[in-house]
């Protein structure tokens, strides 16, 4: 049963091993694209979008350090106050925003989120970033891209592309917040879908 | 939350949610060059003040502007009120103009509740925020006091807060007594017998007339302004006697606990309610209260104009 009481079936997309493997692969891709380990390359800052983007950003930073020795900073970027759908209803309580003490001017900022869907969260993140400084470039890393974009936004690093219908839901669970690493696709059963 | 009319409207969870969000807003804006968030873009907020006020009005105006709302100040002394328009007609007119929130200060107790009933029957209409209604309540002041106490002492639960002075005429005391009790503080009201309200026994607090006896165990001391403009008779013999018995002069301040914090809602009368040096001592949080006021009011605007629970995704 889903939160609203309707019947759903769940399909496992990622097990805990898959999550770990995907994070490692994304870390390698980030090292390659940003040349974070090359001498003279600018600072790289991973900013997770709450809630689950934050632990993902920290995991990526740890992996990047392990693989390349490059010190990348992991922080968080709360976008609640920058959303364009605030007037439409209740908002999620704010979370802290943490950026490096030296700021993000001139850095390569990589936004990290669990699921990329409409793109509106990322649009809000652009506004939030603008109030913090002027990065040299901004990239986006997500664990799952489920499609249905409402804005011309795409991710630079994608863990897995999952074509979904609008009725389906994608839940990412991480040990830091949910005691388990998993990605699950929730589908309404035939009867509810009609 | 549609309106904020009384500190009694806030249960523990609601109050903590406003305070937490206020702290987050303060953190978010700290050290920023651009203190502007787009959150309330397109919202129209009117401050409607029937009594003079600088700090509360400016605080609300700053809060609204930092969140990109259009804030318009309506001063009753320069408005249609002078031409004889009733409070209801003024409120309805401002609603018709297109206000999303009315921030109201009025000398009559209960006026904010009355206005909320007129402009938002059945919950449809602008939000009304009580910025002080007569001798009744001033909930955002209580919230900013709570935020300041929390920052200074690390928490409110179990702390003893002594509120001293003109309790009878003080909306600040009433709102604080309600809110701080809700948040688990032990509240003690200290005043001359003439300035304790009738029925104070029914409040969730303890009342006393002996300041020296209460001071030793206080974690926070809140000095109140003597509201001479609301006094229609002699409530105490002289300012000097008041200062001696109920003022926080240097001798009394020196007997406070080491980490005790001193608050005053302002404007303060130095030398009577509070000593000249006491007001500027490190134990004094008076300017911190003013700073926190802006963040608390941002949070209240966010809670009334946007809402908080749930998840947009």
């Amino acid at each position: 049963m889903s939160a609203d009481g309707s019947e759903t079936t769940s399909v496992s997309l990622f097990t805990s091993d898959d999550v770990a493997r995907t994070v490692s692969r994304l870390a390698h891709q980030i090292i390659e694209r940003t040349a974070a380990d090359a001498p003279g390359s600018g600072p790289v800052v991973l900013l997770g979008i709450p809630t689950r983007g934050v632990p993902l950003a920290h995991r990526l930073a740890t992996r990047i350090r392990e693989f390349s020795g490059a010190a990348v900073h992991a922080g968080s970027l709360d976008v609640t106050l920058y959303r364009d759908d605030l007037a439409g209803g209740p908002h999620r309580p704010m979370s802290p925003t943490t950026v490096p003490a030296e700021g993000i001017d001139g850095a390569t900022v990589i936004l990290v989120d669990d699921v990329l869907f409409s793109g509106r969260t990322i649009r809000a993140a652009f506004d939030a970033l603008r109030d913090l400084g002027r990065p040299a470039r901004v990239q986006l890393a997500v664990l799952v891209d489920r499609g249905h974009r409402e804005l011309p936004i795409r991710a630079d690093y994608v863990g897995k592309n999952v074509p979904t219908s609008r009725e389906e839901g994608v839940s990412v669970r991480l040990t830091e917040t949910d005691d388990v690493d998993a990605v699950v696709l929730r589908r309404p059963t035939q009867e509810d879908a009609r | 939350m549609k309106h904020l009319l009384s500190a009694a409207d806030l249960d523990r969870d609601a109050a903590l949610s406003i305070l937490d969000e206020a702290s987050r807003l303060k953190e978010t804006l700290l050290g920023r060059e651009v203190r502007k968030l787009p959150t309330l873009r397109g919202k129209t907020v009117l401050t409607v003040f029937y009594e003079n006020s600088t700090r509360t009005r400016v605080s609300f105006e700053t809060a609204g502007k930092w969140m990109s709302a259009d804030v318009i100040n309506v001063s009753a002394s320069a408005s249609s009120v002078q031409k004889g328009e009733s409070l209801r007609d003024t409120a309805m007119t401002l609603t018709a103009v297109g206000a999303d929130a009315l921030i109201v200060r009025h000398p009559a107790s209960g006026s904010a509740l009355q206005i909320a009933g007129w402009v938002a029957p059945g919950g449809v209409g602008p939000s009304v925020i009580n910025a002080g209604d007569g001798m009744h309540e001033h909930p955002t002041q209580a919230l900013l006091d709570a935020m300041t106490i929390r920052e200074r002492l690390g928490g409110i639960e179990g702390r003893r807060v002594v509120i001293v002075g003109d309790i009878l005429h003080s909306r600040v005391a009433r709102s604080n007594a309600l809110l701080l009790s809700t948040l688990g503080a032990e509240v003690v009201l200290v005043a001359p017998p003439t300035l304790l309200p009738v029925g104070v026994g029914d409040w969730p607090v303890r009342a006393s007339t002996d300041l020296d006896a209460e001071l030793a165990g206080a974690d926070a001391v809140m000095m109140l302004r003597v509201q001479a403009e609301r006094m229609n008779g002699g409530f105490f013999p002289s300012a000097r006697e008041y200062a001696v018995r109920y003022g926080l002069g240097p001798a009394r301040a020196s007997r406070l606990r080491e980490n005790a914090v001193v608050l005053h809602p302002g404007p303060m009368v130095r030398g009577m309610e509070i000593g000249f040096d006491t007001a500027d001592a490190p134990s004094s949080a008076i300017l911190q209260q003013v700073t926190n006021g802006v963040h608390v009011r941002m949070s209240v605007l966010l809670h009334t104009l946007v809402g908080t629970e749930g998840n947009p995704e």
Side-chain angles (χ1 to χ4, degrees), chain A residues 80-83 85-87 89-97 113 121 127-128 131-132, chain B residues 21 24-25 27-28 32 34 36-39 43 67 302 306-313:
Chain A
T80 309
L81 298 170
Y82 296 86
R83 296 195 69 98
D85 53 4
L86 279 175
H91 75 269
R92 192 211 304 251
M94 289 175 71
S95 306
T97 289
D113 206 356
T121 302
D127 278 356
D131 282 357
L132 291 173
Chain B
E21 209 89 331
R24 289 253 191 271
L25 285 160
E27 261 170 48
T28 300
R32 277 225 192 151
V34 182
K36 193 93 173 168
L37 297 161
T39 318
K43 301 278 186 191
M67 300 183 95
L302 190 63
V306 174
T308 43
E309 291 86 31
N311 190 327
E313 284 155 319

Side-chain angles (χ1 to χ4, degrees), chain B residues 121-189:
Chain B
V124 180
S127 295
V128 177
I129 296 166
N130 183 0
D133 58 338
M135 304 190 297
H136 179 228
E137 283 224 38
H138 194 357
T140 56
Q141 176 71 41
L143 284 162
L144 75 87
D145 290 334
M147 179 175 174
T148 309
I149 292 172
R150 208 154 77 135
E151 281 181 353
R152 283 290 182 112
L153 302 177
I156 292 173
E157 183 103 46
R159 307 298 168 136
R160 180 181 289 188
V161 183
V162 178
I163 304 178
V164 189
D166 185 358
I167 309 285
L168 177 64
H169 299 104
S170 175
R171 49 199 177 204
V172 175
R174 202 171 305 250
S175 288
N176 262 301
L178 292 168
L179 183 75
L180 293 173
S181 305
T182 302
L183 293 173
E186 179 195 352
V187 180
V188 184
L189 304 178

Side-chain angles (χ1 to χ4, degrees), chain A residues 50-97:
Chain A
T51 310
R52 289 175 186 79
V54 181
L56 275 177
H58 283 276
R59 286 190 196 189
L60 281 168
T62 309
R63 284 277 172 273
I64 292 170
R65 256 178 248 129
E66 282 171 13
F67 296 148
S68 71
V72 294
H73 186 281
S76 62
L77 179 68
D78 184 65
V79 303
T80 309
L81 298 170
Y82 296 86
R83 296 195 69 98
D84 60 4
D85 53 4
L86 279 175
H91 75 269
R92 192 211 304 251
M94 289 175 71
S95 306
T97 289

Side-chain angles (χ1 to χ4, degrees), chain A residues 51-52 55 114 171-182:
Chain A
T51 310
R52 289 175 186 79
D114 53 352
S171 320
V172 171
R173 298 188 196 127
L174 297 173
T175 42
E176 291 90 335
T177 49
D178 316 280
D179 294 328
V180 63
D181 274 355

